[in-house]
Amino acid sequence: MNTATEEQRTHKAAKRLIRALWVFNWFNSCGFTELLPVVASRFDMERFGMIVVGSPRHADVLFVAGYQTFKSAKYLRRIYEQMPDPKFVVALGSCPFSGGMYWDSYNTIKHLDEYIPVDLYIPGCPPRPEAIFHAVGLVMEMIEGKRKGGRSGD
Amino acid sequence: MVTEISKLLEPFAPREEGNAVWVREPLEEAPRIWQELRELGYDYLAAISGVDWPNRGVIELVYHLWSLQEKSFVHLKVEVPRDQPRLPSACHIWGGSAAVNEREVHEMFGVEFQDNPDLSPLFLEDWEGPPPFRKDFDWRAYVREKYYCEDREEDRGYYKG
């Protein structure tokens, strides 16, 4: 029964994935203050099948919250490379895409997509939980193949 | 103020504020005073902060000491010359807390601490510029050169302002 093409198999796997997005949070700044109610009981992302996992090796989605210094970007890169495919990266807040309020700081990176591939940016300082759920909806569309991710390889 | 501390710090004209004492000490006396304060119960080095004074040509380091028994602070100021900032390490007196704080001052101000076993960068890994907390460090020029490019679409907002 090996008639299914690679694409079909991927699609099937993706459909299974869509019901249970496992999230790894990489947060070292204020973006996480609005991610907390998403995780906790106020908005409770477990209702939608998403849970926070302790290891990037189990994760499907990587949330990058807030600005990255060179030191943290190094570890972010390592975490990204440990995640199994298919994987999606969502960057929260203004800092990852423009530097945000650290636009002229000497040690924070200004464009996150120069360091790891980013599928989705959520603007806001920090973004509201509703925006995060909207982004998760878009990620699910990406998994289904209805929407293209921002990754250069796709 | 406890009598022993007042006796120790009297020659340096201490200034008292509530339960805190501010003292400016000469560089060559510093290690002796640190040792004696440690023996008098100032066992917690909360922070070492630095101030750069380019006009006077010195970098001023402030050692914030805390006595957990007496619930009192001693803030020790010591000045090192700006062109050759070097002073003895306090690692053998306050251990790890001194080691980490000295690492930070070393990377931010370029101050060298003799006998500190590990002065590797703490926050600024792969840093190439001069010590960033010195006042003659032109951070605007550094950022413009390192991060921004005039021809790039996404950097256009930076050059507009």
PDB file of all heavy atoms in Angstrom, chain B residues 5 8 30-45 65-67 69 74 76 90-95:
ATOM      1  N   ILE B   5      33.248  49.648  62.466  1.00  0.00           N
ATOM      2  CA  ILE B   5      33.201  50.149  61.094  1.00  0.00           C
ATOM      3  C   ILE B   5      33.563  51.618  61.065  1.00  0.00           C
ATOM      4  O   ILE B   5      34.319  52.075  60.195  1.00  0.00           O
ATOM      5  CB  ILE B   5      31.805  49.934  60.496  1.00  0.00           C
ATOM      6  CG1 ILE B   5      31.482  48.451  60.478  1.00  0.00           C
ATOM      7  CG2 ILE B   5      31.729  50.487  59.094  1.00  0.00           C
ATOM      8  CD1 ILE B   5      30.068  48.175  60.168  1.00  0.00           C
ATOM      9  N   LEU B   8      37.173  51.966  61.302  1.00  0.00           N
ATOM     10  CA  LEU B   8      37.855  51.555  60.073  1.00  0.00           C
ATOM     11  C   LEU B   8      37.733  52.606  58.972  1.00  0.00           C
ATOM     12  O   LEU B   8      38.686  52.901  58.258  1.00  0.00           O
ATOM     13  CB  LEU B   8      37.262  50.221  59.598  1.00  0.00           C
ATOM     14  CG  LEU B   8      37.698  49.694  58.244  1.00  0.00           C
ATOM     15  CD1 LEU B   8      39.163  49.311  58.261  1.00  0.00           C
ATOM     16  CD2 LEU B   8      36.848  48.498  57.849  1.00  0.00           C
ATOM     17  N   ALA B  30      42.199  49.738  49.074  1.00  0.00           N
ATOM     18  CA  ALA B  30      40.947  49.010  48.848  1.00  0.00           C
ATOM     19  C   ALA B  30      40.954  47.555  49.325  1.00  0.00           C
ATOM     20  O   ALA B  30      40.074  47.168  50.098  1.00  0.00           O
ATOM     21  CB  ALA B  30      40.564  49.095  47.374  1.00  0.00           C
ATOM     22  N   PRO B  31      41.958  46.721  48.932  1.00  0.00           N
ATOM     23  CA  PRO B  31      41.888  45.313  49.328  1.00  0.00           C
ATOM     24  C   PRO B  31      41.871  45.117  50.847  1.00  0.00           C
ATOM     25  O   PRO B  31      41.160  44.245  51.349  1.00  0.00           O
ATOM     26  CB  PRO B  31      43.161  44.717  48.718  1.00  0.00           C
ATOM     27  CG  PRO B  31      43.540  45.639  47.641  1.00  0.00           C
ATOM     28  CD  PRO B  31      43.116  46.995  48.078  1.00  0.00           C
ATOM     29  N   ARG B  32      42.617  45.958  51.552  1.00  0.00           N
ATOM     30  CA  ARG B  32      42.639  45.821  53.015  1.00  0.00           C
ATOM     31  C   ARG B  32      41.249  46.136  53.599  1.00  0.00           C
ATOM     32  O   ARG B  32      40.749  45.408  54.464  1.00  0.00           O
ATOM     33  CB  ARG B  32      43.676  46.788  53.599  1.00  0.00           C
ATOM     34  CG  ARG B  32      43.803  46.720  55.105  1.00  0.00           C
ATOM     35  CD  ARG B  32      44.832  47.710  55.607  1.00  0.00           C
ATOM     36  NE  ARG B  32      44.423  49.108  55.419  1.00  0.00           N
ATOM     37  CZ  ARG B  32      43.624  49.768  56.251  1.00  0.00           C
ATOM     38  NH1 ARG B  32      43.142  49.173  57.310  1.00  0.00           N
ATOM     39  NH2 ARG B  32      43.306  51.031  56.021  1.00  0.00           N
ATOM     40  N   ILE B  33      40.621  47.191  53.089  1.00  0.00           N
ATOM     41  CA  ILE B  33      39.304  47.572  53.618  1.00  0.00           C
ATOM     42  C   ILE B  33      38.265  46.512  53.290  1.00  0.00           C
ATOM     43  O   ILE B  33      37.432  46.159  54.124  1.00  0.00           O
ATOM     44  CB  ILE B  33      38.902  48.946  53.049  1.00  0.00           C
ATOM     45  CG1 ILE B  33      39.881  50.000  53.551  1.00  0.00           C
ATOM     46  CG2 ILE B  33      37.491  49.311  53.453  1.00  0.00           C
ATOM     47  CD1 ILE B  33      39.682  51.351  52.934  1.00  0.00           C
ATOM     48  N   TRP B  34      38.321  45.977  52.063  1.00  0.00           N
ATOM     49  CA  TRP B  34      37.382  44.902  51.708  1.00  0.00           C
ATOM     50  C   TRP B  34      37.500  43.750  52.689  1.00  0.00           C
ATOM     51  O   TRP B  34      36.504  43.259  53.227  1.00  0.00           O
ATOM     52  CB  TRP B  34      37.679  44.350  50.308  1.00  0.00           C
ATOM     53  CG  TRP B  34      37.488  45.311  49.189  1.00  0.00           C
ATOM     54  CD1 TRP B  34      36.746  46.450  49.225  1.00  0.00           C
ATOM     55  CD2 TRP B  34      38.038  45.222  47.887  1.00  0.00           C
ATOM     56  NE1 TRP B  34      36.804  47.074  48.009  1.00  0.00           N
ATOM     57  CE2 TRP B  34      37.586  46.338  47.170  1.00  0.00           C
ATOM     58  CE3 TRP B  34      38.867  44.298  47.248  1.00  0.00           C
ATOM     59  CZ2 TRP B  34      37.929  46.557  45.841  1.00  0.00           C
ATOM     60  CZ3 TRP B  34      39.209  44.513  45.940  1.00  0.00           C
ATOM     61  CH2 TRP B  34      38.753  45.636  45.226  1.00  0.00           C
ATOM     62  N   GLN B  35      38.741  43.332  52.935  1.00  0.00           N
ATOM     63  CA  GLN B  35      38.973  42.177  53.809  1.00  0.00           C
ATOM     64  C   GLN B  35      38.422  42.446  55.208  1.00  0.00           C
ATOM     65  O   GLN B  35      37.763  41.605  55.807  1.00  0.00           O
ATOM     66  CB  GLN B  35      40.482  41.890  53.856  1.00  0.00           C
ATOM     67  CG  GLN B  35      40.853  40.619  54.592  1.00  0.00           C
ATOM     68  CD  GLN B  35      40.310  39.376  53.893  1.00  0.00           C
ATOM     69  OE1 GLN B  35      40.504  39.180  52.699  1.00  0.00           O
ATOM     70  NE2 GLN B  35      39.589  38.554  54.637  1.00  0.00           N
ATOM     71  N   GLU B  36      38.702  43.669  55.710  1.00  0.00           N
ATOM     72  CA  GLU B  36      38.258  43.959  57.074  1.00  0.00           C
ATOM     73  C   GLU B  36      36.744  44.078  57.159  1.00  0.00           C
ATOM     74  O   GLU B  36      36.135  43.647  58.143  1.00  0.00           O
ATOM     75  CB  GLU B  36      38.937  45.235  57.571  1.00  0.00           C
ATOM     76  CG  GLU B  36      40.416  44.977  57.861  1.00  0.00           C
ATOM     77  CD  GLU B  36      41.093  46.139  58.553  1.00  0.00           C
ATOM     78  OE1 GLU B  36      40.404  46.867  59.288  1.00  0.00           O
ATOM     79  OE2 GLU B  36      42.304  46.313  58.338  1.00  0.00           O
ATOM     80  N   LEU B  37      36.129  44.649  56.138  1.00  0.00           N
ATOM     81  CA  LEU B  37      34.663  44.734  56.146  1.00  0.00           C
ATOM     82  C   LEU B  37      34.032  43.348  56.080  1.00  0.00           C
ATOM     83  O   LEU B  37      33.022  43.079  56.723  1.00  0.00           O
ATOM     84  CB  LEU B  37      34.177  45.573  54.958  1.00  0.00           C
ATOM     85  CG  LEU B  37      34.262  47.073  55.129  1.00  0.00           C
ATOM     86  CD1 LEU B  37      33.927  47.769  53.829  1.00  0.00           C
ATOM     87  CD2 LEU B  37      33.318  47.557  56.214  1.00  0.00           C
ATOM     88  N   ARG B  38      34.633  42.471  55.308  1.00  0.00           N
ATOM     89  CA  ARG B  38      34.127  41.096  55.212  1.00  0.00           C
ATOM     90  C   ARG B  38      34.172  40.431  56.593  1.00  0.00           C
ATOM     91  O   ARG B  38      33.228  39.740  56.988  1.00  0.00           O
ATOM     92  CB  ARG B  38      34.987  40.327  54.211  1.00  0.00           C
ATOM     93  CG  ARG B  38      34.664  38.850  54.084  1.00  0.00           C
ATOM     94  CD  ARG B  38      33.352  38.670  53.353  1.00  0.00           C
ATOM     95  NE  ARG B  38      33.027  37.262  53.165  1.00  0.00           N
ATOM     96  CZ  ARG B  38      32.473  36.481  54.088  1.00  0.00           C
ATOM     97  NH1 ARG B  38      32.219  36.957  55.288  1.00  0.00           N
ATOM     98  NH2 ARG B  38      32.202  35.217  53.815  1.00  0.00           N
ATOM     99  N   GLU B  39      35.264  40.684  57.308  1.00  0.00           N
ATOM    100  CA  GLU B  39      35.377  40.098  58.650  1.00  0.00           C
ATOM    101  C   GLU B  39      34.398  40.743  59.624  1.00  0.00           C
ATOM    102  O   GLU B  39      33.997  40.114  60.608  1.00  0.00           O
ATOM    103  CB  GLU B  39      36.816  40.233  59.164  1.00  0.00           C
ATOM    104  CG  GLU B  39      37.730  39.180  58.549  1.00  0.00           C
ATOM    105  CD  GLU B  39      39.192  39.581  58.572  1.00  0.00           C
ATOM    106  OE1 GLU B  39      39.537  40.500  59.350  1.00  0.00           O
ATOM    107  OE2 GLU B  39      39.971  38.989  57.798  1.00  0.00           O
ATOM    108  N   LEU B  40      33.993  41.983  59.366  1.00  0.00           N
ATOM    109  CA  LEU B  40      33.038  42.650  60.244  1.00  0.00           C
ATOM    110  C   LEU B  40      31.585  42.285  59.906  1.00  0.00           C
ATOM    111  O   LEU B  40      30.659  42.853  60.476  1.00  0.00           O
ATOM    112  CB  LEU B  40      33.205  44.164  60.155  1.00  0.00           C
ATOM    113  CG  LEU B  40      34.470  44.713  60.828  1.00  0.00           C
ATOM    114  CD1 LEU B  40      34.639  46.180  60.501  1.00  0.00           C
ATOM    115  CD2 LEU B  40      34.408  44.504  62.322  1.00  0.00           C
ATOM    116  N   GLY B  41      31.372  41.383  58.961  1.00  0.00           N
ATOM    117  CA  GLY B  41      30.019  40.901  58.707  1.00  0.00           C
ATOM    118  C   GLY B  41      29.403  41.381  57.411  1.00  0.00           C
ATOM    119  O   GLY B  41      28.248  41.070  57.135  1.00  0.00           O
ATOM    120  N   TYR B  42      30.160  42.125  56.593  1.00  0.00           N
ATOM    121  CA  TYR B  42      29.610  42.535  55.280  1.00  0.00           C
ATOM    122  C   TYR B  42      29.889  41.408  54.293  1.00  0.00           C
ATOM    123  O   TYR B  42      30.821  41.453  53.516  1.00  0.00           O
ATOM    124  CB  TYR B  42      30.212  43.874  54.843  1.00  0.00           C
ATOM    125  CG  TYR B  42      29.606  45.010  55.633  1.00  0.00           C
ATOM    126  CD1 TYR B  42      30.130  45.357  56.858  1.00  0.00           C
ATOM    127  CD2 TYR B  42      28.483  45.658  55.175  1.00  0.00           C
ATOM    128  CE1 TYR B  42      29.541  46.352  57.617  1.00  0.00           C
ATOM    129  CE2 TYR B  42      27.890  46.652  55.924  1.00  0.00           C
ATOM    130  CZ  TYR B  42      28.428  46.989  57.149  1.00  0.00           C
ATOM    131  OH  TYR B  42      27.837  47.952  57.889  1.00  0.00           O
ATOM    132  N   ASP B  43      29.024  40.403  54.351  1.00  0.00           N
ATOM    133  CA  ASP B  43      29.338  39.171  53.630  1.00  0.00           C
ATOM    134  C   ASP B  43      28.636  39.080  52.277  1.00  0.00           C
ATOM    135  O   ASP B  43      28.759  38.095  51.588  1.00  0.00           O
ATOM    136  CB  ASP B  43      28.977  37.957  54.488  1.00  0.00           C
ATOM    137  CG  ASP B  43      27.603  38.067  55.101  1.00  0.00           C
ATOM    138  OD1 ASP B  43      26.883  39.019  54.749  1.00  0.00           O
ATOM    139  OD2 ASP B  43      27.251  37.219  55.932  1.00  0.00           O
ATOM    140  N   TYR B  44      27.910  40.106  51.899  1.00  0.00           N
ATOM    141  CA  TYR B  44      27.197  40.017  50.621  1.00  0.00           C
ATOM    142  C   TYR B  44      27.569  41.191  49.736  1.00  0.00           C
ATOM    143  O   TYR B  44      27.279  42.339  50.067  1.00  0.00           O
ATOM    144  CB  TYR B  44      25.686  39.985  50.880  1.00  0.00           C
ATOM    145  CG  TYR B  44      24.855  39.944  49.626  1.00  0.00           C
ATOM    146  CD1 TYR B  44      25.222  39.153  48.547  1.00  0.00           C
ATOM    147  CD2 TYR B  44      23.690  40.698  49.509  1.00  0.00           C
ATOM    148  CE1 TYR B  44      24.477  39.108  47.404  1.00  0.00           C
ATOM    149  CE2 TYR B  44      22.932  40.663  48.367  1.00  0.00           C
ATOM    150  CZ  TYR B  44      23.330  39.865  47.317  1.00  0.00           C
ATOM    151  OH  TYR B  44      22.569  39.836  46.181  1.00  0.00           O
ATOM    152  N   LEU B  45      28.213  40.888  48.629  1.00  0.00           N
ATOM    153  CA  LEU B  45      28.524  41.915  47.627  1.00  0.00           C
ATOM    154  C   LEU B  45      27.367  41.952  46.641  1.00  0.00           C
ATOM    155  O   LEU B  45      27.223  41.069  45.800  1.00  0.00           O
ATOM    156  CB  LEU B  45      29.828  41.578  46.919  1.00  0.00           C
ATOM    157  CG  LEU B  45      30.230  42.474  45.752  1.00  0.00           C
ATOM    158  CD1 LEU B  45      30.509  43.882  46.207  1.00  0.00           C
ATOM    159  CD2 LEU B  45      31.432  41.906  45.037  1.00  0.00           C
ATOM    160  N   LEU B  65      27.974  46.805  49.347  1.00  0.00           N
ATOM    161  CA  LEU B  65      28.101  45.717  50.319  1.00  0.00           C
ATOM    162  C   LEU B  65      26.926  45.741  51.270  1.00  0.00           C
ATOM    163  O   LEU B  65      26.411  46.789  51.627  1.00  0.00           O
ATOM    164  CB  LEU B  65      29.396  45.870  51.134  1.00  0.00           C
ATOM    165  CG  LEU B  65      30.669  45.952  50.333  1.00  0.00           C
ATOM    166  CD1 LEU B  65      31.824  46.180  51.281  1.00  0.00           C
ATOM    167  CD2 LEU B  65      30.863  44.687  49.558  1.00  0.00           C
ATOM    168  N   TRP B  66      26.545  44.553  51.676  1.00  0.00           N
ATOM    169  CA  TRP B  66      25.374  44.412  52.523  1.00  0.00           C
ATOM    170  C   TRP B  66      25.714  43.494  53.688  1.00  0.00           C
ATOM    171  O   TRP B  66      26.254  42.415  53.485  1.00  0.00           O
ATOM    172  CB  TRP B  66      24.227  43.825  51.694  1.00  0.00           C
ATOM    173  CG  TRP B  66      22.893  43.985  52.296  1.00  0.00           C
ATOM    174  CD1 TRP B  66      22.557  44.708  53.387  1.00  0.00           C
ATOM    175  CD2 TRP B  66      21.685  43.383  51.827  1.00  0.00           C
ATOM    176  NE1 TRP B  66      21.227  44.619  53.621  1.00  0.00           N
ATOM    177  CE2 TRP B  66      20.663  43.808  52.683  1.00  0.00           C
ATOM    178  CE3 TRP B  66      21.382  42.534  50.770  1.00  0.00           C
ATOM    179  CZ2 TRP B  66      19.348  43.405  52.518  1.00  0.00           C
ATOM    180  CZ3 TRP B  66      20.074  42.145  50.609  1.00  0.00           C
ATOM    181  CH2 TRP B  66      19.064  42.587  51.473  1.00  0.00           C
ATOM    182  N   SER B  67      25.393  43.946  54.886  1.00  0.00           N
ATOM    183  CA  SER B  67      25.522  43.072  56.052  1.00  0.00           C
ATOM    184  C   SER B  67      24.142  42.534  56.392  1.00  0.00           C
ATOM    185  O   SER B  67      23.238  43.289  56.752  1.00  0.00           O
ATOM    186  CB  SER B  67      26.092  43.845  57.242  1.00  0.00           C
ATOM    187  OG  SER B  67      25.909  43.086  58.407  1.00  0.00           O
ATOM    188  N   GLN B  69      23.354  40.574  58.860  1.00  0.00           N
ATOM    189  CA  GLN B  69      23.088  40.594  60.302  1.00  0.00           C
ATOM    190  C   GLN B  69      22.694  41.991  60.765  1.00  0.00           C
ATOM    191  O   GLN B  69      21.714  42.172  61.469  1.00  0.00           O
ATOM    192  CB  GLN B  69      24.319  40.131  61.086  1.00  0.00           C
ATOM    193  CG  GLN B  69      24.636  38.652  60.953  1.00  0.00           C
ATOM    194  CD  GLN B  69      25.493  38.372  59.733  1.00  0.00           C
ATOM    195  OE1 GLN B  69      26.277  39.223  59.319  1.00  0.00           O
ATOM    196  NE2 GLN B  69      25.346  37.191  59.153  1.00  0.00           N
ATOM    197  N   VAL B  74      27.178  49.288  53.035  1.00  0.00           N
ATOM    198  CA  VAL B  74      28.346  50.139  52.852  1.00  0.00           C
ATOM    199  C   VAL B  74      28.582  50.235  51.347  1.00  0.00           C
ATOM    200  O   VAL B  74      28.608  49.217  50.657  1.00  0.00           O
ATOM    201  CB  VAL B  74      29.600  49.569  53.556  1.00  0.00           C
ATOM    202  CG1 VAL B  74      30.826  50.359  53.160  1.00  0.00           C
ATOM    203  CG2 VAL B  74      29.437  49.603  55.049  1.00  0.00           C
ATOM    204  N   LEU B  76      31.227  51.429  48.737  1.00  0.00           N
ATOM    205  CA  LEU B  76      32.634  51.809  48.642  1.00  0.00           C
ATOM    206  C   LEU B  76      32.934  52.286  47.232  1.00  0.00           C
ATOM    207  O   LEU B  76      32.733  51.541  46.270  1.00  0.00           O
ATOM    208  CB  LEU B  76      33.522  50.607  48.945  1.00  0.00           C
ATOM    209  CG  LEU B  76      33.560  50.086  50.376  1.00  0.00           C
ATOM    210  CD1 LEU B  76      34.266  48.754  50.381  1.00  0.00           C
ATOM    211  CD2 LEU B  76      34.271  51.057  51.275  1.00  0.00           C
ATOM    212  N   ALA B  90      38.305  40.841  43.875  1.00  0.00           N
ATOM    213  CA  ALA B  90      37.747  40.574  45.202  1.00  0.00           C
ATOM    214  C   ALA B  90      37.210  39.155  45.293  1.00  0.00           C
ATOM    215  O   ALA B  90      36.440  38.831  46.185  1.00  0.00           O
ATOM    216  CB  ALA B  90      36.660  41.593  45.529  1.00  0.00           C
ATOM    217  N   CYS B  91      37.626  38.300  44.358  1.00  0.00           N
ATOM    218  CA  CYS B  91      37.091  36.930  44.313  1.00  0.00           C
ATOM    219  C   CYS B  91      37.399  36.146  45.586  1.00  0.00           C
ATOM    220  O   CYS B  91      36.560  35.376  46.053  1.00  0.00           O
ATOM    221  CB  CYS B  91      37.706  36.171  43.147  1.00  0.00           C
ATOM    222  SG  CYS B  91      36.978  36.585  41.592  1.00  0.00           S
ATOM    223  N   HIS B  92      38.604  36.347  46.133  1.00  0.00           N
ATOM    224  CA  HIS B  92      38.970  35.552  47.307  1.00  0.00           C
ATOM    225  C   HIS B  92      38.224  36.037  48.555  1.00  0.00           C
ATOM    226  O   HIS B  92      38.249  35.364  49.577  1.00  0.00           O
ATOM    227  CB  HIS B  92      40.479  35.606  47.523  1.00  0.00           C
ATOM    228  CG  HIS B  92      40.997  37.001  47.750  1.00  0.00           C
ATOM    229  ND1 HIS B  92      41.099  37.923  46.732  1.00  0.00           N
ATOM    230  CD2 HIS B  92      41.397  37.618  48.875  1.00  0.00           C
ATOM    231  CE1 HIS B  92      41.564  39.051  47.224  1.00  0.00           C
ATOM    232  NE2 HIS B  92      41.744  38.905  48.514  1.00  0.00           N
ATOM    233  N   ILE B  93      37.547  37.197  48.461  1.00  0.00           N
ATOM    234  CA  ILE B  93      36.814  37.702  49.624  1.00  0.00           C
ATOM    235  C   ILE B  93      35.337  37.348  49.517  1.00  0.00           C
ATOM    236  O   ILE B  93      34.744  36.828  50.461  1.00  0.00           O
ATOM    237  CB  ILE B  93      36.995  39.231  49.744  1.00  0.00           C
ATOM    238  CG1 ILE B  93      38.486  39.561  49.823  1.00  0.00           C
ATOM    239  CG2 ILE B  93      36.258  39.751  50.969  1.00  0.00           C
ATOM    240  CD1 ILE B  93      38.796  41.024  49.786  1.00  0.00           C
ATOM    241  N   TRP B  94      34.717  37.638  48.370  1.00  0.00           N
ATOM    242  CA  TRP B  94      33.268  37.414  48.250  1.00  0.00           C
ATOM    243  C   TRP B  94      32.900  36.282  47.288  1.00  0.00           C
ATOM    244  O   TRP B  94      31.729  36.084  47.007  1.00  0.00           O
ATOM    245  CB  TRP B  94      32.575  38.701  47.829  1.00  0.00           C
ATOM    246  CG  TRP B  94      32.508  39.695  48.939  1.00  0.00           C
ATOM    247  CD1 TRP B  94      31.787  39.578  50.091  1.00  0.00           C
ATOM    248  CD2 TRP B  94      33.190  40.932  49.025  1.00  0.00           C
ATOM    249  NE1 TRP B  94      31.988  40.672  50.881  1.00  0.00           N
ATOM    250  CE2 TRP B  94      32.840  41.527  50.252  1.00  0.00           C
ATOM    251  CE3 TRP B  94      34.075  41.593  48.183  1.00  0.00           C
ATOM    252  CZ2 TRP B  94      33.341  42.752  50.653  1.00  0.00           C
ATOM    253  CZ3 TRP B  94      34.569  42.819  48.584  1.00  0.00           C
ATOM    254  CH2 TRP B  94      34.196  43.379  49.815  1.00  0.00           C
ATOM    255  N   GLY B  95      33.883  35.604  46.750  1.00  0.00           N
ATOM    256  CA  GLY B  95      33.597  34.412  45.959  1.00  0.00           C
ATOM    257  C   GLY B  95      32.849  34.690  44.669  1.00  0.00           C
ATOM    258  O   GLY B  95      33.139  35.650  43.959  1.00  0.00           O
TER     259      GLY B  95
END
